[in-house]
Amino acid sequence: MPNENSIEISPNVSMIWQILLRKKIATEDQLEEVLEESHNNGQPFETVLYNYEIITEDKLLSLIADELGTEFIEIHPGAITDDLVKSITGDTARTYNIIPVAEDEDTITLATDNPFDTKLIDELHFVINKDCRIVVARPREINEALDTFYPEHGGTVSDVIQELVTEHDAANKGKDFSKMTEEELLKAANDTPIVKFVNVILQQAIKDKASDIHFEPFQDEFRIRYRIDGALYEMTPPPKHLSIPVISRIKVMSSMNLSERRIPQDGRIELHVNKNPVDLRVSSLPTRYGESVVLRVLDRSVVNLDLDSLGMQKDMVATVRKMISRPNGIFLVTGPTGSGKTTTLYSGVKELNKLEDKLLTVEDPVEYDLEGIMQVPVREQVGMTFANALRAFLRQDPDRIMVGEIRDKETADIAVQASLTGHLVLSTLHTNDAAGTVTRLIDMGIEPFLISSTLIGVLAQRLIRRVCPVCKEPYTPDDTELEAFGVTREKIGDRQFWRGTGCDNCNGSGYRGRVGIFELLGVSAEIQQLINRRCPTQEIKEMAMKQGMETLRQDGFKQVLAGVTSAKEVIQYTFG
């Protein structure tokens, strides 16, 4: 198996690795070569195995089936009857990437391309309400069968709620969920209508590209809202009395303590929706009328961890690459919560991820798994803080270090020491603009001469909404908008601005999707002098602008002229 300095591998790849070694089909060196090729080209490990002709797809799937005590089958569409198709819903089939291939009175046989998922049978038992048997099939055949028998469509969330109320209330009439024992709550959470309802909510949120899902109990209602493009939208609310079983279901899925409702808890759910891996980070908070639960959606299929895809101008991308390629120093990304700082950091770390370098990250939480990088989650309850992790990192011989956030003086001190001893440190900070980072670090207690000698650059950013491409319309800007951008009508000539009028595509908001705007401050010799003299933020900003830095508003203005976003959006989220 790979050693501690090589590329990390997933549990599925680990199982395949062990099978091939035990069957003497491949050697350790061959598998290391396949793993490296997979890592460098972004291809699945199995695909590279087939390309190298180490094993065929059918042979590998047969070995996997034997290992798991099941069988490898071919899916014949003609053998899948209407009754089989109706035995599971389209939402269930696509959520778990399964196809029903046989059924008797007690058991349903389901073909999957992910047989290593140990939770699959247990979850399907509750969802389908029958004993389930798993067999292995070719991924291509499963995908084709899904498109044939379960094309993407479905009823509305309102339909699902109506079904939920009818089925669930019939089985639980008169029950008081607030007084249930843990065992009773577990049973309620695994009730088939509740399981179906939660699955539909999660699928709809992911389909709509929501970043967060909010479950909020109030005195007389149970509200569920999605955050899409930074704005919250409310869906049809289920009855208030279903808040406890629904939230209990989420707690079960995220491995939280079901009986504990007095303190906040954190958890994680891993799903595959439409063949894409999705992570949900779950947070519960006790409130007056029950537990409020928020799920943060981390859909890897819609996040492109690439510096060129973040929306920065080309010359800015080149400068950032030059900054983070340095052997030591500190590079910071700043902005408010939800401004995309972590995605930018991940994109930078991914670019630095080379076999000859060791990269370590400490995060709260680990949002995306990056192969070849040692990622450490913060666990403050056991003493694993950012600062303690950083101390341990320096004894692990790293070349590059990523710190999820610099929150306090202790973490900042160790980051500075790490950079002074020959390490590149990437991290985030909460400030309004790039120049304000210096003042923030000084306020934390870091000496100015240490900041000036270690800080390489600061990238400030925001995420602003794109004008909906379906309902966008041009208009002539008024004097107030032009004044906000510091431009004259003569300067823009007859160029028009754009805004959305609202349509079904954008839920009536006039916006669809988001784009980043940025300002990049490089720490030049002149700025180092200003830092050492403890000059105010405004002086540092003016010097940076004199040296060519464009502010967030100026970068946003370019997006306005390009018709990407509206003037109102940029003015609202930036300052002159």
Side-chain angles (χ1 to χ4, degrees):
M1 295 295 290
N3 59 47
E4 66 175 37
N5 293 318
S6 62
I7 301 168
E8 284 191 289
I9 65 175
S10 68
N12 284 14
V13 172
S14 177
M15 289 289 292
I16 294 171
W17 190 295
Q18 293 172 28
I19 292 171
L20 296 180
L21 286 180
R22 191 167 60 251
K23 298 290 185 179
K24 297 183 179 179
I25 293 172
T27 65
E28 195 87 40
D29 289 342
Q30 285 178 309
L31 295 176
E32 288 278 7
E33 185 179 351
V34 170
L35 184 64
E36 183 176 344
E37 177 72 14
S38 170
H39 172 72
N40 291 338
N41 294 334
Q43 292 182 311
F45 181 79
E46 298 92 320
T47 301
V48 181
L49 280 175
Y50 308 148
N51 292 342
Y52 277 32
E53 298 184 350
I54 291 175
I55 193 171
T56 64
E57 180 182 44
D58 287 2
K59 179 64 175 176
L60 178 60
L61 294 175
S62 295
L63 290 176
I64 290 172
D66 290 342
E67 180 76 13
L68 298 174
T70 184
E71 60 181 314
F72 163 56
I73 69 162
E74 290 187 26
I75 295 178
H76 299 288
I80 299 178
T81 64
D82 288 343
D83 287 340
L84 270 177
V85 172
K86 293 175 183 177
S87 65
I88 65 174
T89 66
D91 290 331
T92 299
R94 289 194 166 273
T95 297
Y96 296 99
N97 224 48
I98 54 174
I99 292 294
V101 292
E103 183 181 24
D104 57 33
E105 288 186 7
D106 301 317
T107 305
I108 183 170
T109 301
L110 303 161
T112 179
D113 60 354
N114 187 29
F116 292 121
D117 187 348
T118 56
K119 297 180 180 178
L120 187 62
I121 291 181
D122 289 339
E123 288 197 20
L124 289 173
H125 173 75
F126 286 116
V127 172
I128 302 172
N129 204 24
K130 289 191 73 170
D131 289 336
C132 300
R133 175 175 174 260
I134 297 298
V135 295
V136 181
R138 299 183 186 98
R140 180 185 66 258
E141 292 180 354
I142 289 178
N143 294 337
E144 290 173 354
L146 284 172
D147 291 338
T148 300
F149 299 108
Y150 301 102
E152 289 194 72
H153 63 270
T156 65
V157 174
S158 298
D159 295 336
V160 176
I161 290 176
Q162 184 59 49
E163 180 184 351
L164 166 68
V165 172
T166 302
E167 293 185 24
H168 189 267
D169 286 6
N172 297 276
K173 190 174 182 179
K175 292 183 180 179
D176 186 349
F177 294 107
S178 65
K179 297 179 180 178
M180 283 186 173
T181 64
E182 182 176 358
E183 185 177 343
E184 290 171 328
L185 276 177
L186 180 60
K187 184 178 179 181
N190 288 328
D191 194 12
T192 300
I194 295 294
V195 172
K196 287 181 180 179
F197 175 70
V198 172
N199 284 345
V200 168
I201 294 297
L202 300 186
Q203 289 171 42
Q204 188 65 43
I206 294 163
K207 180 181 178 181
D208 291 344
K209 294 182 172 53
S211 60
D212 302 271
I213 313 169
H214 296 247
F215 294 83
E216 303 165 319
F218 293 93
Q219 182 175 8
D220 299 315
E221 66 176 332
F222 178 36
R223 183 182 297 171
I224 300 178
R225 297 191 288 175
Y226 297 158
R227 186 179 296 279
I228 301 173
D229 299 335
L232 283 169
Y233 297 90
E234 185 173 0
M235 58 159 286
T236 305
K240 171 67 171 70
H241 70 275
L242 294 178
S243 63
I244 292 178
V246 167
I247 287 173
S248 295
R249 174 61 190 165
I250 296 169
K251 292 175 73 174
V252 168
M253 295 174 70
S254 55
S255 301
M256 291 183 180
N257 184 342
L258 193 58
S259 61
E260 181 56 78
R261 305 183 202 173
R262 301 165 299 173
I263 60 175
Q265 296 187 66
D266 294 306
R268 176 178 179 178
I269 300 172
E270 296 181 12
L271 296 176
H272 276 77
V273 177
N274 292 340
K275 297 160 276 189
N276 296 318
V278 178
D279 282 351
L280 303 171
R281 301 305 162 92
V282 187
S283 171
S284 71
L285 180 70
T287 71
R288 182 179 179 185
Y289 298 110
E291 288 178 285
S292 170
V293 173
V294 176
L295 289 74
R296 185 175 185 189
V297 182
L298 304 174
D299 186 352
R300 302 174 194 175
S301 68
V302 299
V303 176
N304 189 356
L305 300 178
D306 185 345
L307 287 176
D308 292 311
S309 302
L310 297 177
M312 281 186 267
Q313 305 293 328
K314 288 184 178 180
D315 56 345
M316 186 181 292
V317 174
T319 305
V320 169
R321 281 198 170 103
K322 186 175 180 181
M323 288 178 175
I324 65 174
S325 65
R326 290 176 55 170
N328 61 283
I330 299 176
F331 180 82
L332 297 175
V333 182
T334 74
T337 300
S339 61
K341 300 187 300 297
T342 302
T343 299
T344 300
L345 270 192
Y346 271 106
S347 300
V349 169
K350 185 180 178 184
E351 187 132 329
L352 296 172
N353 186 14
K354 296 180 174 58
L355 284 175
E356 59 267 24
D357 290 331
K358 179 159 184 172
L359 277 73
L360 295 172
T361 77
V362 55
E363 308 166 55
D364 184 21
V366 175
E367 293 193 5
Y368 295 98
D369 297 325
L370 299 178
E371 288 191 3
I373 297 174
M374 309 299 290
Q375 296 173 269
V376 177
V378 166
R379 293 191 178 95
E380 294 190 358
Q381 64 270 28
V382 295
M384 178 56 81
T385 61
F386 280 115
N388 288 339
L390 265 177
R391 288 195 192 92
F393 280 7
L394 297 181
R395 298 190 290 273
Q396 289 281 313
D397 188 31
D399 297 289
R400 309 281 191 272
I401 296 171
M402 184 186 108
V403 184
E405 182 184 347
I406 293 179
R407 296 178 177 174
D408 50 43
K409 181 179 186 298
E410 186 178 17
T411 306
D413 276 333
I414 302 170
V416 167
Q417 293 305 315
S419 68
L420 289 173
T421 53
H423 303 89
L424 177 72
V425 180
L426 308 178
S427 189
T428 69
L429 204 64
H430 287 282
T431 62
N432 290 325
D433 59 4
T437 300
V438 174
T439 304
R440 177 81 178 100
L441 290 171
I442 292 175
D443 289 344
M444 281 184 176
I446 308 301
E447 290 294 335
F449 75 90
L450 290 175
I451 299 172
S452 64
S453 59
T454 57
L455 191 62
I456 300 170
V458 183
L459 180 72
Q461 65 181 71
R462 297 287 189 281
L463 284 177
I464 57 174
R465 292 179 293 177
R466 294 176 179 268
V467 173
C468 175
V470 175
C471 64
K472 67 188 298 186
E473 65 174 16
Y475 74 98
T476 302
D478 58 33
D479 292 339
T480 303
E481 290 175 327
L482 296 180
E483 184 180 345
F485 288 115
V487 296
T488 62
R489 195 167 298 279
E490 290 73 22
K491 184 176 180 179
I492 68 165
D494 59 357
R495 300 182 71 172
Q496 293 180 306
F497 289 9
W498 294 82
R499 62 190 171 199
T501 58
C503 64
D504 291 340
N505 181 61
C506 59
N507 292 321
S509 67
Y511 298 96
R512 184 72 175 177
R514 292 195 288 180
V515 65
I517 56 174
F518 306 86
E519 69 178 31
L520 178 63
L521 184 150
V523 181
S524 62
E526 292 81 5
I527 289 178
Q528 284 180 324
Q529 293 176 9
L530 296 178
I531 295 172
N532 289 334
R533 297 205 306 267
R534 296 177 181 263
C535 290
T537 297
Q538 189 59 31
E539 284 191 38
I540 296 173
K541 181 175 182 177
E542 289 172 359
M543 175 59 72
M545 292 175 66
K546 184 179 178 181
Q547 295 178 344
M549 182 188 83
E550 290 187 335
T551 65
L552 285 166
R553 180 162 290 187
Q554 288 171 334
D555 191 43
F557 183 59
K558 289 183 177 180
Q559 301 284 16
V560 172
L561 291 180
V564 175
T565 189
S566 69
K568 178 181 178 182
E569 185 77 358
V570 173
I571 293 168
Q572 180 177 350
Y573 291 104
T574 65
F575 48 90

